[in-house]
Amino acid sequence: MGIRVISVRRYLARHLREAATQLLNEAGQGWPEDLQIVVEQPARLEHGDYATNLAMRLAPVLHRAPVQIAEALQPFMNQLPLVARTEVVRPGFLNFFLNWQAWTDVTTPDPIPAERVQTKVVIEHTSINPNKAAHIGHLRNSCIGDTLGRLLRRAGYPVEVHNYIDDLGNQVADTVVGLLHVPVHGQYARFGDFCWDLYAQVNQAYKTDEALKARRVEVQKALEDGGNNVSWIATLVADRIVRDHLEDMAQFGIHYDLLVHEYDIVHMGFWAAAFEKLKQSPLFVKETEGKYAGCWVLKQPPAAAEQTVLSKPLEPLEATAPNVSAPERERGLATADGEGARGACKERQEGEPDGGGEDSEYNPDKVLVRSNGVLTYTAKDIAYHLWKFGLLGQDFLYRPFEDGIWTTAEQGEPGSFGRAKRVLNVIDKRQEYPQAMVRLALQALGFAEEASQLHHVSYGVVSLSPATAARLGIDISEGKSSYPMSGRQGIGIKVSDLLAQMEATVEAVRPRKEGISSRQVAAAAIRYFLLRFNLLTEIVFDFDQAADLHGNSGVYLMYQHARAAKILRDGGWAAAAALTPTALASPLSGDGTSALPTPQVPSDLLPEERALLRHLADWPDTLEQAAAELNVTLLTTYAFELASLFSTFYDAAPVLKAPEPLRTFRMWVVARTRLTLADVLNVLGLPAPDQM
RNA sequence: GCGCCCGUAGCUCAGUUGGAUAGAGCGUUUGGCUACGAACCAAAAGGCCGGGGGUUCGAAUCCCUCCGGGCGCACCA
């Protein structure tokens, strides 16, 4: 019935393995350790729908020419129903041309691996300090996190999304200080906008007002203690601002399952429990001398322990690489007579003379409890992560917050949050070190498996282009290529402002006013823009660039979807236009399928038709790869390519006016494209409008 | 100083488990709507993939080195 999807790459790889195994056996050889089968779509259409370099990889093992090996593989592959023919090309490529009729007839979908369904993934993202309005840097975090959540859910994992509310942090304290002591006048649409200015002014005032700085310390202490006027003000501020943040994010289709409040981590005794556990570890000690005298500190492990963790087998996810590692320390010692880090040099002079292997002039150890007894952020984060993995032996209480979101609470009901098998933390790359320390704490406690399942999803910050910075009134006479945003200086583009500006832009340029609103279009354009870049790429945000709604943009993707939907409606395939992507997603959901007539694939496909079919066929593999690598760019690239190929197809191949059976075939292609595009848009968190 | 990330078209970026002639968008030039939705398509111009070595059948991709950027090296988060 032709609506089911299978992974063609995996299908071909499986059969290639069988064929290659046979060749190896005939030569009296086993499967080489490091040999992986790679099946990919060649860049050029002439090179086939899929191709493999397997013959070239086998050549040194079999001691035969690659072309010969490829030719030996051919008979095996030619028998496959999905393969129309194969070709062997010069260096030793084996190219596959698919039998598209067979592909459209596929009815056996790949099942979701059972083990996956039991792998609960907790994703933490957003986690904005609740003391002022959100800016576009925060929005990038949320878009990435939300997309990863959608991606993993689509791939079959149970996903729970957390937003960590740092309601005891210094930034909240600063906003409270401002509320109490720094007058700000003006009209503001929202509390967060008011606090945006307030926070900047407080930080300005700190520079000259010693009394205010002293007050800051008092407020911080009051928050830590809780149960007083100041701490209640902080609670109210955080709560109000969180609502602003959630309102902002909701406009971009971003949602959460649970808000975790730092206040609750502290006040429900999570740290006390974590502290007891940590004390069992020799890496967690109270320093009696040196720079950290009086502090409880998490020490760097000996090199050996780290090795075992680093050599964890096939983890496709992000490399585990704490930037302060044992090899680095050794290198540091080797050049120890050099300058070294400032404070650390002094430290070393009075360091332990025995060189017990643990002393390090860099002192990469992490303070968890300050000498004054106050916890660091990382300490609370460690407790939180023990809880995330269900390792703490304690749980929060919960109550509904709003719109289906729950929050931790001192008084509430028990819940079933947490207990994750895998944890993803979407946090910008400047925080690699503390993230590595959280993982180290898990290792130190003997939770090696959990440590390996804790992933810091690291991404680059968003800064402002000179033009955009200038528009905000920032002095750009320095001539830098980008200007960082700064909450303390009140420099940045607020999410709500950006959305409003973009909405005005859309309203001004859109040719029709049907279907989704300009605001939705604007939000989608922004979201796509923030997702297009590699995670590690630092985005230099330029308003004019982001506001370009042509070409590779979210608008283009939605437009192609609307265009496909229109053709289906006009062509009498309304049922196909109404199918939801779950028809592709779930092998069990059954049926949408009867809504699509069986196509008769022409023997003389147009290049534009074949290019489109080829790309459609690759969606299941792209999805799997994106999920395995947590690679969002793969999705945006796929989506744009799909939309682009469809547009080319549309231009080259008339659908409604085509004679039968060609018309039915092309309608089927349109239906399938629309469905796949809707699926991708859904994973990307963008609307899939029927008209716009 | 130590470490991590990055350097690809005029601009902004894809492509990096080594593969076939290095791609896209924007910008520039040219052409295409009495319409299956032009928020589109087609074509042209534009590249020693930062420089230099190395590894091999084959390098933007891996290794070494230099140059140039960003970030991190707190009893902040």
Side-chain angles (χ1 to χ4, degrees), chain A residues 474-524:
Chain A
I474 297 161
D475 173 23
I476 60 165
S477 56
E478 273 184 90
K480 294 195 290 183
S481 59
S482 69
Y483 292 83
M485 290 193 280
S486 162
R488 287 192 181 162
Q489 295 172 57
I491 296 172
I493 299 180
K494 292 196 275 280
V495 171
S496 52
D497 289 348
L498 175 63
L499 186 54
Q501 283 184 57
M502 195 69 81
E503 181 183 11
T505 303
V506 171
E507 191 66 18
V509 302
R510 70 185 297 180
R512 276 173 300 274
K513 314 247 171 181
E514 305 160 352
I516 65 175
S517 68
S518 295
R519 198 168 184 79
Q520 287 176 291
V521 173

Side-chain angles (χ1 to χ4, degrees), chain A residues 82 420 449 660:
Chain A
L82 225 46
E449 174 60 21
E660 289 293 357

Side-chain angles (χ1 to χ4, degrees), chain A residues 78 120 188 191 236 240 265 285 439 477 502 511 643 646 664:
Chain A
N78 282 337
K120 179 172 178 181
Y188 294 92
F191 185 56
L236 291 170
R240 187 65 193 76
I265 287 179
V285 297
R439 177 165 39 221
S477 56
M502 195 69 81
F646 174 68
T664 298

Side-chain angles (χ1 to χ4, degrees), chain A residues 41-49 95 97 610 614:
Chain A
Q41 291 199 321
R44 317 179 121 259
L45 225 44
E46 311 91 88
H47 292 146
D49 301 313
N95 297 338
F97 294 82
R610 190 160 78 84
R614 200 175 82 134

Side-chain angles (χ1 to χ4, degrees), chain A residues 352-359:
Chain A
E352 312 85 86
D354 63 272
E358 257 330 284
D359 73 305

Side-chain angles (χ1 to χ4, degrees), chain A residues 368-388:
Chain A
L368 298 187
V369 185
R370 300 179 180 107
S371 55
N372 66 2
V374 175
L375 304 178
T376 62
Y377 179 92
T378 303
K380 291 171 267 194
D381 218 16
I382 289 168
Y384 178 24
H385 281 81
L386 285 168
W387 172 83
K388 277 185 184 175

Side-chain angles (χ1 to χ4, degrees), chain A residues 146-191:
Chain A
D146 187 69
T147 301
L148 290 177
R150 289 165 180 271
L151 171 61
L152 294 182
R153 260 186 203 124
R154 173 65 178 77
Y157 293 92
V159 172
E160 184 175 291
V161 177
H162 294 187
N163 182 359
Y164 183 63
I165 311 298
D166 185 12
D167 52 359
L168 297 182
N170 293 342
Q171 293 208 20
V172 173
D174 289 337
T175 293
V176 170
V177 170
L179 279 171
L180 295 174
H181 303 290
V182 179
V184 169
H185 300 283
Q187 296 303 312
Y188 294 92
R190 295 196 302 179
F191 185 56

Side-chain angles (χ1 to χ4, degrees), chain A residues 211-269:
Chain A
L212 200 66
K213 274 170 83 173
R215 186 72 182 111
R216 179 192 200 195
V217 176
E218 290 168 23
V219 169
Q220 287 171 354
K221 185 75 168 59
L223 297 201
E224 190 77 26
D225 294 342
N228 55 63
N229 294 25
V230 168
S231 125
W232 271 108
I233 292 172
T235 300
L236 291 170
V237 167
D239 184 85
R240 187 65 193 76
I241 301 246
V242 165
R243 287 174 199 275
D244 280 1
H245 291 166
L246 295 183
E247 185 179 277
D248 279 346
M249 297 310 170
Q251 307 219 45
F252 293 86
I254 295 162
H255 302 286
Y256 310 87
D257 297 308
L258 179 67
L259 307 180
V260 177
H261 285 82
E262 184 172 297
Y263 180 95
D264 294 314
I265 287 179
V266 171
H267 288 269
M268 297 199 66

